[in-house]
């Protein structure tokens, strides 16, 4: 194809990870094109199909046929939300990218607010949830506790009540692309890279259709990834507990000697011994488990497998994305 026939290089890339969202894709496309009418410069929509087994991929191909600004990365299987976002950034061609959930919980009109801040010169503009509709109290509460905990124990200050909905300037995208760790916690990493950062407020809507792809088990994994990739505190807990318990035992020894010398028969029973042994055994197993969590993650990093495998990439002009590139 002659160069002058190709579409202009997009200024903004909108990245949406998709896992079984057949009920949503048409509406997502409609809402995004509607909002982007007012943007006035070339843009692309990068849909990352994270191993959906419903009709999502067929719908994506239809959308691409209708509108060549729709570009698709089709994974060979499900690699997970955070990896899908990463692939989107690897392939995105824009001078800035916006990461948005496919389920329309992040309203597309907020993109314009993000862009306005970008035009003011910020490299990272995150969207802060002022209100969240249609979530269970349990999800709201655990999310709140999680962000407060992670900010307490990690060195990076993740802005409270933000998700992955954010705009990243090309500089920030290139910085993030250099980070190839497997257990990725993108909202932490995008703070870690630095640059000028700011936030805009928005109301998080209910899911447009379908149900959450983050069951409790996955959320827990995600939380563990967030904590372990930014903090050693869980590992250090063993040391703290060790010192505390050792300190207490010294007191116990002194007390026992005094009691024995004064002829007391307290603490003679086996129950005390048994309870103490079980208690310590529990603490030791927990500590081992914590070490295991880190060890497993180290193992995953050392194997150095590619982060994802692409079955097909549709519609991209420049294949500057090479997953094997470090
Ligand atoms: N998602 C994905 N891969 C997964 C799980 C989720 O690409 O393994 C996508 C999903 O399609 C959606 C986004 O990540 O666009 C957020 O997921 P979801 O809305 O289910 O999470 P929640 O908003 O309930 O936390
Ligand atoms: Mg959602």
């Amino acid at each position: 194809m002659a160069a002058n026939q190709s579409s202009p290089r997009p200024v903004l890339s909108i990245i949406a990870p998709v896992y079984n969202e057949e009920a949503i894709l048409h509406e997502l496309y409609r809402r995004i094109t509607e909002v982007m009418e007012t943007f006035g410069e070339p843009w692309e929509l990068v849909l990352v199909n994270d191993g959906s087994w419903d009709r999502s991929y067929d719908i994506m191909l239809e959308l691409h046929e209708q509108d060549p600004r729709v570009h698709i990365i089709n994974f060979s299987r499900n690699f997970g939300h955070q990896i899908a976002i990463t692939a989107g950034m690897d392939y995105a061609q824009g001078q800035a990218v916006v990461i948005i959930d496919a389920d329309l919980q992040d309203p597309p009109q907020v993109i314009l607010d993000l862009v306005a801040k970008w035009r003011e010169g910020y490299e990272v503009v995150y969207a802060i949830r002022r209100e969240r509709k249609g979530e269970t109290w349990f999800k709201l509460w655990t999310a709140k506790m999680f962000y407060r905990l992670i900010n307490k124990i990690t060195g990076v200050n993740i802005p409270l009540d933000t998700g992955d909905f954010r705009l990243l300037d090309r500089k920030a995208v290139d910085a993030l692309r250099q980070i190839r760790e497997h257990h990725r916690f993108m909202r932490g990493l995008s703070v870690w890279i630095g640059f000028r950062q700011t936030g805009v407020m928005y109301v998080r809507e209910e899911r447009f259709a379908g149900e959450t792809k983050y069951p409790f088990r996955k959320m827990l994994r995600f939380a563990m990834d967030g904590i372990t990739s930014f903090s050693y505190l869980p590992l250090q807990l063993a040391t703290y507990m060790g010192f505390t318990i050792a300190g207490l035992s010294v007191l116990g020894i002194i007390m026992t000697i005094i009691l024995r010398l004064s002829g007391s028969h307290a603490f003679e029973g086996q129950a005390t011994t048994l309870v103490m042994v079980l208690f310590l055994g529990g603490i030791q197993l927990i500590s081992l488990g914590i070490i295991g969590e880190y060890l497993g993650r180290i193992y995953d990093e050392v194997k150095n497998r590619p982060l994802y495998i692409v079955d097909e990439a549709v519609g991209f002009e420049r294949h500057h994305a090479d997953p094997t590139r470090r």
Side-chain angles (χ1 to χ4, degrees), residues 142-270:
T142 46
K144 191 171 158 190
M145 287 301 132
F146 172 66
Y147 285 111
R148 276 150 189 84
L149 174 78
I150 200 160
N151 278 357
K152 270 233 161 66
I153 67 173
T154 65
V156 289
N157 253 328
I158 300 169
L160 294 180
D161 305 315
T162 60
D164 286 310
F165 188 22
R166 61 188 62 214
L167 178 144
L168 299 153
D169 179 72
R170 175 50 54 194
K171 275 193 247 173
V173 172
D174 286 344
L176 281 172
R177 287 187 61 203
Q178 289 178 39
I179 303 174
R180 301 313 283 183
E181 58 194 55
H182 288 69
H183 294 273
R184 317 169 71 71
F185 185 62
M186 294 307 286
R187 50 196 83 164
L189 293 175
S190 75
V191 174
W192 182 89
I193 55 170
F195 296 115
R196 274 158 296 181
Q197 311 215 348
T198 187
V200 300
M201 299 290 232
Y202 80 112
V203 176
R204 190 158 162 93
E205 297 294 335
E206 278 180 46
R207 201 169 223 289
F208 178 72
E211 52 196 39
T212 177
K213 308 298 180 305
Y214 265 101
F216 184 65
R217 190 177 39 81
K218 249 192 193 171
M219 243 164 64
L220 210 61
R221 279 276 108 197
F222 182 63
M224 287 290 277
D225 281 345
I227 291 170
T228 52
S229 56
F230 285 101
S231 168
Y232 301 128
L233 185 76
L235 282 175
Q236 292 161 338
L237 281 181
T239 321
Y240 300 146
M241 282 190 297
F243 275 116
T244 314
I245 293 170
L248 287 175
S249 344
V250 170
L251 285 182
I253 291 167
I254 297 172
M255 234 171 71
T256 320
I257 293 174
I258 295 174
L259 284 173
R260 281 293 142 79
L261 288 178
S262 63
S264 160
H265 291 285
F267 299 116
E268 262 185 359
Q270 286 179 8

Side-chain angles (χ1 to χ4, degrees), residues 101 103 105 135 204 207 212:
D101 277 0
D103 62 0
Q105 282 197 289
E135 303 276 19
R204 190 158 162 93
R207 201 169 223 289
T212 177

